[in-house]
Amino acid sequence: TAYASRCKEASKRQGIDQLVEELASQGITATSEQTGGFTMCAYMPLSDSRYIYANPYGAGLYDAEGFLSDIVQFDEPSASAVASAVAQYLSKEAI
Protein backbone atom coordinates (compact mmCIF):
# COMPACT_ATOMS: atom_id res chain seq x y z
CA THR A 1 0.00 0.00 0.00
CA ALA A 2 1.01 3.63 -0.34
CA TYR A 3 0.93 4.02 3.46
CA ALA A 4 3.29 1.06 3.98
CA SER A 5 5.61 2.44 1.29
CA ARG A 6 5.71 5.85 2.97
CA CYS A 7 6.46 4.24 6.36
CA LYS A 8 9.26 2.16 4.83
CA GLU A 9 10.80 5.22 3.14
CA ALA A 10 10.52 7.31 6.32
CA SER A 11 12.14 4.55 8.38
CA LYS A 12 15.09 4.35 6.01
CA ARG A 13 15.47 8.16 5.73
CA GLN A 14 15.32 8.67 9.52
CA GLY A 15 17.98 6.01 10.21
CA ILE A 16 15.62 3.60 11.93
CA ASP A 17 16.43 0.72 9.56
CA GLN A 18 20.12 1.09 10.39
CA LEU A 19 19.31 1.24 14.11
CA VAL A 20 17.17 -1.93 13.90
CA GLU A 21 20.14 -3.65 12.19
CA GLU A 22 22.55 -2.41 14.88
CA LEU A 23 20.19 -3.64 17.60
CA ALA A 24 19.96 -7.04 15.85
CA SER A 25 23.76 -7.25 15.86
CA GLN A 26 23.53 -6.88 19.67
CA GLY A 27 20.95 -9.69 19.82
CA ILE A 28 17.99 -7.32 20.34
CA THR A 29 14.81 -7.70 18.34
CA ALA A 30 13.25 -4.42 17.27
CA THR A 31 10.76 -3.31 14.67
CA SER A 32 10.31 -0.01 12.91
CA GLU A 33 7.07 1.66 14.00
CA GLN A 34 5.38 4.95 13.19
CA THR A 35 4.67 7.12 16.22
CA GLY A 36 2.63 9.68 14.29
CA GLY A 37 3.22 12.07 11.42
CA PHE A 38 5.61 9.57 9.83
CA THR A 39 7.99 9.94 12.76
CA MET A 40 9.53 6.50 13.00
CA CYS A 41 11.22 4.69 15.87
CA ALA A 42 12.69 1.33 16.76
CA TYR A 43 10.23 -0.46 19.06
CA MET A 44 11.34 -3.09 21.58
CA PRO A 45 8.64 -4.61 23.78
CA LEU A 46 9.88 -5.62 27.23
CA SER A 47 6.62 -6.84 28.81
CA ASP A 48 2.89 -6.41 28.38
CA SER A 49 3.15 -2.80 29.54
CA ARG A 50 6.81 -1.72 29.21
CA TYR A 51 8.76 -0.99 26.04
CA ILE A 52 11.65 0.97 24.58
CA TYR A 53 11.37 3.49 21.75
CA ALA A 54 14.64 4.49 20.11
CA ASN A 55 16.00 6.52 17.22
CA PRO A 56 19.61 7.32 16.22
CA TYR A 57 19.67 10.13 18.82
CA GLY A 58 18.63 8.10 21.84
CA ALA A 59 16.32 5.66 23.57
CA GLY A 60 13.66 5.92 26.24
CA LEU A 61 11.69 3.61 28.49
CA TYR A 62 7.88 3.75 28.36
CA ASP A 63 4.92 2.04 29.97
CA ALA A 64 1.19 2.01 29.30
CA GLU A 65 0.89 5.52 30.75
CA GLY A 66 3.74 6.99 28.68
CA PHE A 67 7.35 8.09 29.08
CA LEU A 68 9.25 6.86 32.16
CA SER A 69 12.90 7.77 31.61
CA ASP A 70 15.71 8.23 29.13
CA ILE A 71 18.10 5.36 28.61
CA VAL A 72 20.50 7.47 26.57
CA GLN A 73 20.46 10.71 24.55
CA PHE A 74 23.04 12.06 22.10
CA ASP A 75 23.42 15.44 20.38
CA GLU A 76 24.61 13.74 17.17
CA PRO A 77 23.02 10.60 15.70
CA SER A 78 24.81 7.29 16.26
CA ALA A 79 22.85 4.10 15.66
CA SER A 80 25.71 1.95 16.96
CA ALA A 81 26.05 3.96 20.20
CA VAL A 82 22.29 3.83 20.83
CA ALA A 83 22.24 0.08 20.18
CA SER A 84 25.15 -0.45 22.57
CA ALA A 85 23.49 1.66 25.27
CA VAL A 86 20.21 -0.26 24.92
CA ALA A 87 22.10 -3.58 25.11
CA GLN A 88 23.89 -2.41 28.26
CA TYR A 89 20.60 -1.25 29.80
CA LEU A 90 18.90 -4.56 29.02
CA SER A 91 21.81 -6.57 30.45
CA LYS A 92 21.49 -4.63 33.73
CA GLU A 93 17.70 -5.11 33.75
CA ALA A 94 18.15 -8.90 33.42
CA ILE A 95 20.15 -9.08 36.65
Side-chain angles (χ1 to χ4, degrees):
T1 69
Y3 174 78
S5 259
R6 288 181 65 197
C7 285
K8 186 174 181 176
E9 187 278 326
S11 184
K12 182 177 181 180
R13 183 174 27 84
Q14 294 171 28
I16 304 304
D17 290 356
Q18 181 186 0
L19 177 56
V20 168
E21 290 173 12
E22 291 285 345
L23 289 160
S25 76
Q26 298 275 348
I28 301 165
T29 302
T31 57
S32 176
E33 302 293 334
Q34 200 225 137
T35 63
F38 290 98
T39 299
M40 309 302 289
C41 72
Y43 169 72
M44 294 151 272
L46 302 177
S47 68
D48 287 344
S49 62
R50 289 178 37 156
Y51 55 96
I52 295 172
Y53 271 160
N55 65 33
Y57 289 90
L61 181 64
Y62 294 78
D63 70 7
E65 295 180 20
F67 177 77
L68 293 173
S69 65
D70 284 328
I71 293 171
V72 66
Q73 290 294 320
F74 296 109
D75 291 332
E76 298 294 325
S78 176
S80 61
V82 171
S84 293
V86 169
Q88 184 176 14
Y89 172 80
L90 291 174
S91 70
K92 289 179 183 175
E93 283 292 301
I95 296 172

